[in-house]
Amino acid sequence: MDIGIDLGSRALKMAVFDGDELLECRMVESGFTPHQQAEELLKGLKPHRVIATGYGRHLAHKNFASGVITEIKAHSLGARYFFPQAMTILDVGGQDSKVITLNREGKVVNFQMNDKCAAGTGRFLEIMAASLGYTLAEFGPMALSSDHEAPINSMCTVFAESEVISLKNHGVPAADIARALHLAVVSRLVGMVRRMEESATLVFTGGVARNPAIVSLLQERLGVEVFVPSLPEHAGAVGAALHARTL
């Protein structure tokens, strides 16, 4: 049994493999002591190896993991597990977003990360959803229900929240504001993707890939087919587990 564990900024994700079979995936919030949360996830399991990735991978290695793998490599392996022909990967998590391009053999040839802030990430969407009184699960469908756009000029979380409050107080419908916020995020992601090599398809991983408005707007603005894995938030953990099998 080989295990990959992704210690992300907002959640811990684990993937368990027995040979080529993905047995199960688990996820919990990171909490204040992520390595202890991770050890709780492992309870009852007897892995051959545990490979860690994500923000907390070195802390995990210090405490329980057999080794580490970078997020870039882990997400590349994970994306190829779900879509073997993947060439361009967009991963959007709680606090960062990244674009990775692979050659036909699956080797990383280029990547880029977002700026060191929450703009264009899951945390931005979470805060904006809360400012409108919605959950994250409700936020995407809300944005899809509108054809109108309200002006959002800032991607800074603090300033954007102020704009949302101003628009609400001018009577702009919540759905229009939600669509504008999603478009602002997508515009930022499209810029990142277009700075990389062009590809006819895009594999979208990370928790934000569960947002139907982001997926729909990415397809519309990029003009390519966007593929979302069945377990998009676990792509990094799956990649780490696959790496464990090669050691």
Side-chain angles (χ1 to χ4, degrees):
M1 178 187 295
D2 292 303
I3 290 180
I5 190 160
D6 181 1
L7 291 89
S9 59
R10 306 282 295 163
L12 308 180
K13 290 81 67 178
M14 183 179 74
V16 183
F17 274 81
D18 183 7
D20 294 332
E21 184 182 3
L22 177 58
L23 292 182
E24 67 168 301
C25 289
R26 300 177 184 177
M27 181 167 68
V28 297
E29 290 188 3
S30 298
F32 186 71
T33 53
H35 66 289
Q36 292 177 356
Q37 289 281 81
E39 287 178 290
E40 283 292 316
L41 273 182
L42 292 166
K43 274 191 175 177
L45 300 170
K46 295 179 179 178
H48 177 55
R49 284 193 181 86
V50 178
I51 297 297
T53 189
Y55 283 96
R57 62 185 183 274
H58 295 297
L59 185 62
H61 192 200
K62 185 177 177 182
N63 286 278
F64 63 86
S66 317
V68 300
I69 182 175
T70 67
E71 292 173 76
I72 301 298
K73 189 170 182 180
H75 281 275
S76 302
L77 291 170
R80 280 262 169 151
Y81 173 79
F82 292 106
F83 298 103
Q85 305 305 319
M87 299 285 285
T88 303
I89 301 154
L90 171 65
D91 176 73
V92 185
Q95 292 282 8
D96 68 31
S97 50
K98 46 188 165 292
V99 181
I100 307 164
T101 55
L102 310 177
N103 63 18
R104 294 193 182 280
E105 290 71 43
K107 184 179 179 181
V108 176
V109 294
N110 200 2
F111 72 91
Q112 66 169 289
M113 307 280 292
N114 67 323
D115 299 332
K116 292 181 178 177
C117 74
T121 70
R123 183 59 178 156
F124 176 85
L125 290 169
E126 186 179 357
I127 292 171
M128 294 304 115
S131 72
L132 287 171
Y134 294 97
T135 65
L136 262 181
E138 296 167 332
F139 200 36
M142 171 64 68
L144 282 177
S145 71
S146 170
D147 292 326
H148 303 286
E149 297 175 22
I152 296 289
N153 298 311
S154 178
M155 278 300 290
C156 167
T157 304
V158 175
F159 293 139
E161 190 171 18
S162 297
E163 287 191 59
V164 168
I165 292 168
S166 175
L167 289 168
K168 281 196 300 185
N169 287 317
H170 281 83
V172 177
D176 294 356
I177 302 174
R179 179 175 171 83
L181 289 163
H182 281 72
L183 280 168
V185 170
V186 167
S187 176
R188 195 178 181 90
L189 298 176
V190 165
M192 289 177 66
V193 173
R194 285 185 171 156
R195 284 193 288 273
M196 307 291 273
E197 292 180 33
E198 289 188 12
S199 174
T201 61
L202 178 74
V203 174
F204 188 14
T205 65
V208 175
R210 289 199 179 275
N211 183 312
I214 296 292
V215 175
S216 174
L217 291 168
L218 275 173
Q219 289 192 143
E220 177 187 308
R221 299 299 158 113
L222 285 170
V224 302
E225 194 166 3
V226 175
F227 295 99
V228 178
S230 55
L231 298 166
E233 60 280 89
H234 285 90
V238 166
L242 293 173
H243 179 66
R245 291 168 51 200
T246 67
L247 300 177

